[in-house]
Amino acid sequence: MTPLAIHAGLMFDGTNLSGPTTVLVEGGRITGVDTTGAPPPDGVDLIDLGADTFLMPGLVDPHVHLGFDAGLDPVTAFTAADDTELLARMRTAADRALRAGITTVRDLGDRDYLALRLRAEFGEGPEILAAGPPITTPGGHCHFMGGAAEGAAALRAAVRERHERDCAVVKIMLSGGNMTPGSPPPHESQYSPADLRVVVDEAHRLGLPVAAHAHGTQAIRDALAAGVDSIEHATFVTADGVDADPALLAAIAESDTFVSVTIGVVPGDSPLVLPPEVAKRVEAVHEALRSLYKLGARIVLGTDAGIMPVKPHDVLPYAIAQFTVEGPSPLEALTAATSLAARACGVSGRKGRIAVGADADLLAVTGNPLDDLDRLRDVRAVFRAGVRVR
Ligand SMILES: [Zn+2]
């Protein structure tokens, strides 16, 4: 295939901004980044996206569920579908993400390792990093995905199975959640610190990161102590409210652990209907997030795409804009959704940056999103491994 030269008036490389830039692409990878304004070399196919175009790394969403349909009852839809139907739905979801410039999605909970199957069968989809069925207690949060395990031997075996299947991450439901009838509430822990340690040690021994679903303050504390790689949600809920202990917030900020805050909703047509027990905690959860940001925690934006109508699989651009309400600048928010998110997912060598050697996963939008983050949704082009998919 002829090498490509992609030219744009502005370029964000995942960390910094440059003026007119030409990115050279060959074999699906970035082979050159020229910010000198020199003409492209001979023998390349030039794609000039225009002076008013902002070129950036494809977005990385570290927390999605391709198998959830973003409907009013995603769990029933999920459990009622057979694997063929579910796989088709996941393909549609992945395609929707890709068209919005989300070139990497980390699926933190499927059934029967369908996200891995999708990755193998879906030629021009986004990069899919899959957890497989999340490890949970029998009858626990999202047990219907098929990942129940308890006791050290079973937990160790569950981690090994995910490694053998070639999962990119181990997901554990450390606390309860909101969407599984009859399961523990979000503030309750599902596993002991000792059980969690078994999972983390085995995963790390095998070179896999651990993403811990943790709403409750105790679960967050345990996750940090066990050395998980990312704390998902981190809402600090208790039985009757929110307890964002300042010492715990500071300890998270000082650690290497990423916090994946599952923010991001599409405003407008479908109203956000939160259960009352969630709604009464919203302000305090946002306050905790603002504190984490001020303290310098490594915050990335997992959207939990698919779990409700306001969270379709292309919601991440909204999450980026909504993150700035909590304190970050537009540049910091874009960094969180590109280079930092790639680090959180353990793929910083390949994803989330425009640099020689990285995968040529690129998003081009019209205008400058650093002036107006709504520009992120004015997509001009998307490239995945050097192939223009939009
Ligand atoms: Zn989730």
Side-chain angles (χ1 to χ4, degrees), residues 46-386:
L46 176 65
I47 299 178
D48 189 350
L49 295 167
D52 63 337
T53 299
F54 185 96
L55 186 66
M56 59 183 291
L59 303 173
V60 178
D61 192 333
H63 188 146
V64 309
H65 299 279
L66 294 171
F68 283 151
D69 66 355
L72 287 168
D73 189 354
V75 174
T76 300
F78 181 94
T79 51
D82 65 22
D83 280 4
T84 307
E85 287 171 66
L86 196 53
L87 198 63
R89 200 180 293 159
M90 291 168 75
R91 189 182 174 115
T92 303
D95 191 53
R96 181 165 175 158
L98 183 64
R99 290 187 55 76
I102 306 160
T103 52
T104 300
V105 294
R106 187 166 75 160
D107 189 297
L108 288 188
D110 69 358
R111 182 181 80 207
D112 297 337
Y113 299 92
L114 287 176
L116 288 175
R117 219 172 110 190
L118 183 65
R119 186 184 69 172
E121 293 174 6
F122 195 168
E124 290 186 355
E127 174 94 33
I128 299 172
L129 306 168
I135 296 175
T136 191
T137 49
H141 182 54
C142 290
H143 67 87
F144 54 83
M145 290 177 167
E150 64 181 346
L155 290 168
R156 216 173 274 124
V159 173
R160 282 189 203 142
E161 178 180 326
R162 283 152 183 77
H163 177 250
E164 279 157 22
R165 295 269 194 162
D166 204 20
C167 290
V169 57
V170 171
K171 169 85 177 293
I172 180 167
M173 299 302 202
L174 186 55
S175 77
N178 290 308
M179 61 195 310
T180 311
S183 68
H187 66 272
E188 276 180 23
S189 293
Q190 298 200 135
Y191 289 104
S192 69
D195 284 340
L196 177 62
R197 184 75 71 172
V198 166
V199 168
V200 173
D201 287 353
E202 189 67 3
H204 286 175
R205 189 180 72 77
L206 295 168
L208 284 176
V210 175
H213 161 106
H215 279 293
T217 302
Q218 188 58 48
I220 293 168
R221 190 172 280 126
D222 292 347
L224 184 68
V228 306
D229 299 271
S230 66
I231 300 171
E232 306 294 321
H233 308 298
T235 54
F236 301 93
V237 297
T238 60
D240 53 2
V242 171
D243 175 21
D245 170 16
L248 178 56
L249 295 176
I252 292 169
E254 281 162 24
S255 76
D256 292 336
T257 301
F258 286 89
V259 181
S260 180
V261 292
T262 42
I263 63 169
V265 294
V266 176
D269 40 319
S270 47
L272 178 59
V273 184
L274 292 171
E277 68 277 11
V278 175
K280 73 173 187 181
R281 293 179 169 96
V282 163
E283 188 41 45
V285 170
H286 281 273
E287 185 57 45
L289 172 52
R290 284 192 285 272
S291 299
L292 280 173
Y293 166 71
K294 279 194 208 128
L295 290 163
R298 306 206 283 179
I299 300 169
V300 295
L301 311 172
T303 60
D304 229 352
I307 65 155
M308 55 174 89
V310 291
K311 286 181 174 293
H313 287 90
D314 53 1
V315 71
L316 180 56
Y318 289 102
I320 296 167
Q322 288 155 11
F323 187 38
T324 60
V325 175
E326 318 292 348
S329 67
L331 190 78
E332 288 173 315
L334 281 190
T335 302
T338 53
S339 57
L340 201 62
R343 278 171 64 196
C345 296
V347 291
S348 58
R350 296 191 291 128
K351 305 294 183 186
R353 58 204 189 101
I354 293 181
V356 172
D359 291 351
D361 293 357
L362 303 165
L363 165 62
V365 300
T366 309
N368 185 350
L370 296 177
D371 294 336
D372 172 10
L373 283 167
D374 287 347
R375 299 278 96 225
L376 287 176
R377 288 178 287 110
D378 192 351
V379 174
R380 187 163 287 185
V382 178
F383 296 84
R384 166 77 177 100

